Amino acid sequence: MHSTHHEPAPDKKPRVMILATGGTIAGAADSSIQAGYTSGRVSIDAMIGAVPGLAGIARVHGEQVANVGSQDMTFAIMIDLANRINAILGADEVDGVVVTHGTDTMEETAHFLNLTVKSKKPVVLTGAMRPATAVSADGPLNLYNAVAVAADSDAAGRGTLVVMNDRIHGAHSLTKTNTTSVETFISPINGLIGTVNYGKTEYFRKPFRKHTDKSDFSLEGVTSLPRVDILYACADMPADLIDCSVEKGAKGIVIAGDGNGNMNAATIKRAAQAAKKGIFIVRSSRVPTGKVGRNVEIDDDRMRFIASDELNPAKARILLMMALLKKRSLEEVQQLFYDY
Ligand code: ASP
């Protein structure tokens, strides 16, 4: 049992900065039971105001970085966000950062920050599946739990985390699986980092891959990223989609392949032609779980393809975009997919 005299005095509590970017957690509808709503309408101050218990676990400050539904998230916002986080954590202004974010592309921003934040301190994304005005809105408890994790020194060194519905996910592994349920995120290949229950944390593991302070990627001088497209494989896939991407200036293409990163013979042929010209072709999978291995049904060595290993198409795209900021060989890029 905790006695009150072990509690840090209010001015000794961990300092947590909440950077708000929008999403359903900041969404509003005209009634509490309607499905239709607009993301990114509630300010960060109103969101903090809705969770009075926050002051009991941390000294929190809010800052509005953007206010968009995450379907409108851009790399310009992601780069701003990463730079802001690096500035705050580098200046030792806070002990941890929470980012409120829409759930649609949360895994992409989490993965991007996992590659580009240069600190061991906790960076925790959270959001909501139900808008702030809904009956049983999930945002306030998610925000409370996210602040508790960001304020917890045990969360440090575990890379960028996502806290939703009492679960602590690692940026590398999590993925959204349900369009409406509050239990939408899963970490299918390597499991959860931990759980958090009304602010009480428990950890199961550390991420297995390189991240944050061990990452070799840097955003110094970076204002935009090379174009990488994702093409979704399906029965009788039109192979000329590859040519369209190349014509539009894609430097890389991620195939959301069927099964173990497969695509039909016609697409393999076009993709191999593009690879020969120097376009990086990464085989990922449209299947929600499992690794994509090299040279399983497709001869990657001969076609000059890269296997995404554990990364789903959206995250493979981000890793490839970061990789292509520098000149690298095919072998080097393949190695990045094993390391990150
Ligand atoms: N479309 C919303 C968004 O990603 C969904 C959500 O936040 O749950 O911003």
Side-chain angles (χ1 to χ4, degrees):
M1 208 175 94
H2 288 111
S3 54
T4 42
H5 64 265
H6 287 313
E7 284 243 323
D11 63 340
K12 293 277 185 315
K13 286 194 196 297
R15 302 154 301 169
V16 173
M17 177 67 93
I18 306 177
L19 300 176
T21 70
T24 296
I25 192 167
D30 294 333
S31 98
S32 63
I33 47 156
Q34 74 184 45
Y37 67 95
T38 310
S39 277
R41 268 174 50 184
V42 180
S43 72
I44 181 57
D45 293 334
M47 279 157 55
I48 292 174
V51 194
L54 285 181
I57 48 174
R59 286 175 281 165
V60 295
H61 286 99
E63 196 176 291
Q64 198 81 47
V65 173
N67 213 353
V68 296
S70 73
Q71 57 272 40
D72 287 320
M73 185 49 61
T74 61
F75 285 104
I77 300 175
M78 283 193 218
I79 291 169
D80 272 359
L81 184 63
N83 287 338
R84 185 75 190 113
I85 293 172
N86 279 325
I88 300 167
L89 294 180
D92 204 22
E93 285 170 25
V94 298
D95 301 297
V97 170
V98 168
V99 176
T100 58
H101 197 288
T103 61
D104 287 356
T105 61
M106 189 182 282
E107 60 203 85
E108 288 164 75
T109 301
H111 183 55
F112 181 77
L113 295 177
N114 208 33
L115 299 177
T116 56
V117 167
K118 301 278 167 208
S119 173
K120 271 190 165 39
K121 287 184 180 174
V123 175
V124 182
L125 281 82
T126 193
M129 291 300 287
R130 298 178 182 147
T133 48
V135 66
S136 297
D138 53 331
L141 184 55
N142 283 343
L143 184 59
Y144 183 84
N145 280 334
V147 169
V149 173
D152 182 6
S153 55
D154 269 3
R158 295 181 199 269
T160 304
L161 302 170
V162 169
V163 166
M164 288 279 296
N165 209 32
D166 297 357
R167 318 265 193 251
I168 307 172
H169 299 270
H172 181 269
S173 44
L174 96 153
T175 192
K176 186 173 180 178
T177 61
N178 192 294
T179 53
T180 55
S181 167
V182 294
E183 180 65 347
T184 188
F185 285 105
I186 63 165
S187 284
I189 300 183
N190 290 314
L192 293 173
I193 298 288
T195 57
V196 51
N197 197 250
Y198 295 100
K200 191 174 169 301
T201 54
E202 190 179 348
Y203 301 96
F204 309 147
R205 69 175 181 96
K206 289 200 161 161
F208 305 121
R209 303 298 180 105
K210 283 171 90 170
H211 58 79
T212 55
D213 63 315
K214 299 279 184 307
S215 166
D216 299 307
F217 294 104
S218 161
L219 286 177
E220 221 171 295
V222 174
T223 51
S224 63
L225 298 174
R227 174 167 172 160
V228 173
D229 290 350
I230 298 175
L231 301 182
Y232 193 96
C234 50
D236 215 5
M237 177 182 187
D240 56 7
L241 288 173
I242 300 276
D243 308 336
C244 297
S245 282
V246 175
E247 274 163 32
K248 290 288 176 197
K251 302 285 178 273
I253 298 172
V254 174
I255 309 288
D258 14 87
N260 200 337
N262 286 317
M263 61 196 109
N264 60 16
T267 308
I268 292 176
K269 198 170 153 203
R270 297 284 178 103
Q273 283 164 357
K276 222 170 158 188
K277 285 194 240 154
I279 311 291
F280 286 79
I281 307 287
V282 173
R283 294 190 304 104
S284 179
S285 180
R286 67 183 204 185
V287 172
T289 178
K291 297 190 187 206
V292 172
R294 274 192 78 78
N295 301 318
V296 178
E297 284 191 77
I298 294 177
D299 188 343
D300 292 308
D301 294 344
R302 203 158 66 82
M303 303 298 164
R304 305 180 58 76
F305 293 164
I306 292 158
S308 76
D309 195 47
E310 288 186 1
L311 290 182
N312 69 18
K315 290 191 225 177
R317 172 173 176 253
I318 286 174
L319 181 58
L320 187 56
M321 287 169 129
M322 290 302 297
L324 297 183
L325 285 171
K326 236 176 91 175
K327 197 168 162 42
R328 296 179 204 258
S329 69
L330 215 54
E331 293 69 28
E332 284 168 336
V333 176
Q334 176 65 73
Q335 192 57 45
L336 293 176
F337 278 87
Y338 296 133
D339 292 343
Y340 289 89

